[in-house]
Amino acid sequence: VNPDVRYVAITDGAVPAPWEIIRPSGVERLSRKHASRHLKIMGHELFPNADWTIYVDGQLQLAVDPVSLLAECEAWGGDSDLYIYRHHDRDCIYAEARDVDRVRKDTEGRMASQIARYRAAGIPERGGLYLGGFLIRRGGDVCHAFDATWWREGASGSHRDQISLTFALRESGVRFGALTAGWWHNA
């Protein structure tokens, strides 16, 4: 536990110290799936003055000190505003959409127009696929614009945020580093 870090959990349950629980308001109008995505994607609304935020999905656990992690990221790609992980199985939003449809994690009709729009916008096959469960973001307008783009796409299309992440990266122009080594493990 690093005393220079604020550890915050967004949960309905209990968490051990040093975690602080927050229960944000304003997402009650959204479905449970969209509410959880909104809190992840629009994290800057909860922490508007943070220099950096690290989002770790509830199914994951950070395995290193957050300050050391930021130092490593900055040494590796210091001009990036966002650090994300490449998807471990695929590198294509279209393949991801087919897989989501195959396992019925969203409705095909919900994704069809979104995928068609991404093709029309020029997102290529094998144009990158990234995980949304572990995000390291610099505070400020650049990441806020990325967040807004990603949320707009997720709110109007598939709730599977990997589908819209590649598009949001491209549209927002955020400088990002695509990480391959893990600093987390499954909880």
Side-chain angles (χ1 to χ4, degrees):
V1 176
N2 188 318
D4 296 326
V5 174
R6 182 178 175 203
Y7 296 85
V8 177
I10 302 168
T11 180
D12 293 335
V15 294
W19 290 89
E20 159 193 351
I21 294 175
I22 62 172
R23 292 187 172 93
S25 61
V27 294
E28 301 85 8
R29 69 194 185 310
L30 301 172
S31 71
R32 188 168 175 86
K33 286 180 183 178
H34 275 93
S36 69
R37 299 308 190 276
H38 185 272
L39 294 169
K40 171 190 359 189
I41 293 170
M42 300 298 286
H44 68 272
E45 293 179 346
L46 297 172
F47 309 104
N49 300 317
D51 293 332
W52 286 95
T53 59
I54 301 174
Y55 172 85
V56 182
D57 189 275
Q59 299 169 350
L60 305 174
Q61 187 173 29
L62 190 60
V64 298
D65 172 55
V67 175
S68 299
L69 172 58
L70 287 175
E72 260 189 76
C73 286
E74 288 183 316
W76 175 73
D79 63 341
S80 294
D81 294 302
L82 171 70
Y83 297 92
I84 54 178
Y85 280 96
R86 292 187 189 283
H87 195 282
H88 51 283
D89 291 330
R90 289 177 286 287
D91 65 353
C92 180
I93 62 171
Y94 307 113
E96 179 71 6
R98 286 188 296 273
D99 194 58
V100 166
D101 186 45
R102 181 183 61 77
V103 297
R104 301 187 192 283
K105 292 232 178 189
D106 203 344
T107 60
E108 191 278 330
R110 190 171 172 85
M111 288 186 297
S113 63
Q114 183 179 14
I115 292 300
R117 195 164 36 82
Y118 293 168
R119 283 192 193 280
I123 302 291
E125 294 278 338
R126 302 190 67 175
L129 183 64
Y130 307 93
L131 299 174
F134 191 90
L135 308 162
I136 302 167
R137 289 179 275 205
R138 186 185 309 266
D141 292 342
V142 172
C143 276
H144 297 180
F146 159 75
D147 292 348
T149 301
W150 192 16
W151 173 245
R152 184 180 64 245
E153 290 299 311
S156 64
S158 175
H159 67 269
R160 303 297 297 171
D161 53 59
Q162 286 113 315
I163 301 291
S164 54
L165 179 53
T166 299
F167 180 81
L169 291 168
R170 180 176 162 169
E171 286 296 300
S172 69
V174 66
R175 295 172 305 197
F176 71 97
L179 307 171
T180 56
W183 290 295
W184 49 268
H185 55 79
N186 290 331

